[in-house]
């Protein structure tokens, strides 16, 4: 599996979950809690494989995208802290949906920057073989991802 294809598939998975959250009724607290737990698992796993494997490899291969990598890590930082707050927040709390809404905005912005500006540069710098190999490593590393959002490296960035 090509690394960039894998990451884009993850982006699609979370986008579908975001849409379900946005369509959930105001009082659908049980469904919203479940969706946020699934979103957390998906995003933490995704951030983990990007930070452990993809970002360092991309930075080494395309040093001129270094600023992109650093900004992306700061964006992950905000996302994992928001996820850690949502973990203990009651979906009936008036802050819950507001927090998820801002989380979704942040992630959409982040994904757009990755896909539009940065990934194409990485794709043209890396060969197909290298992207395949990275993709395989990332697919395997998913099993090692932490459950706790704050266990991802960017939480301490
Ligand atoms: Fe990312
Ligand atoms: Fe991503």
């Amino acid at each position: 599996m090509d690394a960039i294809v894998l990451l884009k598939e993850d982006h699609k998975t979370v986008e579908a979950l975001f849409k379900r959250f946005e369509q959930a009724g105001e009082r659908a607290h049980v469904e919203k809690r479940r969706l946020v737990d699934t979103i957390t698992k998906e995003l933490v796993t995704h951030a983990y494989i990007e930070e452990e494997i993809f970002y360092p490899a991309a930075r080494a291969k395309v040093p001129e995208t270094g600023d992109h990598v650093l900004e992306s890590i700061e964006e992950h930082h905000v996302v994992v802290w928001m996820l850690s707050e949502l973990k203990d927040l009651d979906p009936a709390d008036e802050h819950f949906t507001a927090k998820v809404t801002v989380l979704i905005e942040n992630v959409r912005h982040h994904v757009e920057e990755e896909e539009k500006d940065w990934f194409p540069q990485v794709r043209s710098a890396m060969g197909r073989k290298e992207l395949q190999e990275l993709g395989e490593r990332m697919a395997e590393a998913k099993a090692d991802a932490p459950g706790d959002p704050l266990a991802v490296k960017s939480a301490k960035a």
Side-chain angles (χ1 to χ4, degrees):
M1 160 84 81
D2 175 289
I4 290 174
V5 173
L6 180 149
L7 294 176
K8 284 185 172 176
E9 287 295 322
D10 282 358
H11 292 166
K12 271 189 223 155
T13 302
V14 290
E15 180 56 35
L17 293 163
F18 290 167
K19 290 228 163 69
R20 280 172 61 191
F21 186 91
E22 288 169 335
Q23 284 156 8
E26 179 113 352
R27 306 175 65 82
H29 297 144
V30 174
E31 189 190 355
K32 284 182 167 184
R33 174 79 268 162
R34 262 195 227 119
L35 282 167
V36 167
D37 291 344
T38 309
I39 287 166
T40 300
K41 191 174 180 298
E42 290 291 336
L43 285 176
V44 169
T45 302
H46 183 77
Y48 173 79
I49 62 169
E50 283 189 337
E51 291 177 26
E52 295 295 324
I53 298 171
F54 187 78
Y55 286 7
R59 195 178 182 182
K61 192 77 185 186
V62 202
E64 60 270 33
T65 64
D67 286 351
H68 243 306
V69 179
L70 292 169
E71 284 170 29
S72 290
I73 289 168
E74 294 304 323
E75 288 168 356
H76 283 194
H77 176 89
V78 174
V79 167
V80 293
W81 276 93
M82 292 189 93
L83 291 172
S84 80
E85 290 168 359
L86 282 164
K87 204 166 61 176
D88 303 316
L89 196 57
D90 184 341
D93 187 304
E94 63 173 359
H95 294 286
F96 187 86
T97 297
K99 206 178 272 294
V100 177
T101 301
V102 173
L103 170 91
I104 290 173
E105 284 169 5
N106 283 351
V107 172
R108 280 183 177 145
H109 162 83
H110 178 77
V111 163
E112 192 177 321
E113 285 195 340
E114 286 188 337
E115 293 195 2
K116 297 240 162 76
D117 306 341
W118 181 25
F119 286 178
Q121 283 176 270
V122 177
R123 176 173 297 291
S124 42
M126 278 187 193
R128 219 173 43 170
K129 201 167 156 245
E130 199 171 347
L131 283 167
Q132 291 277 348
E133 196 190 282
L134 264 187
E136 272 154 39
R137 279 173 57 206
M138 285 197 291
E140 276 175 30
K142 281 191 171 191
D144 305 324
D148 177 5
L150 299 185
V152 172
K153 267 190 194 147
S154 60
K156 311 276 185 301

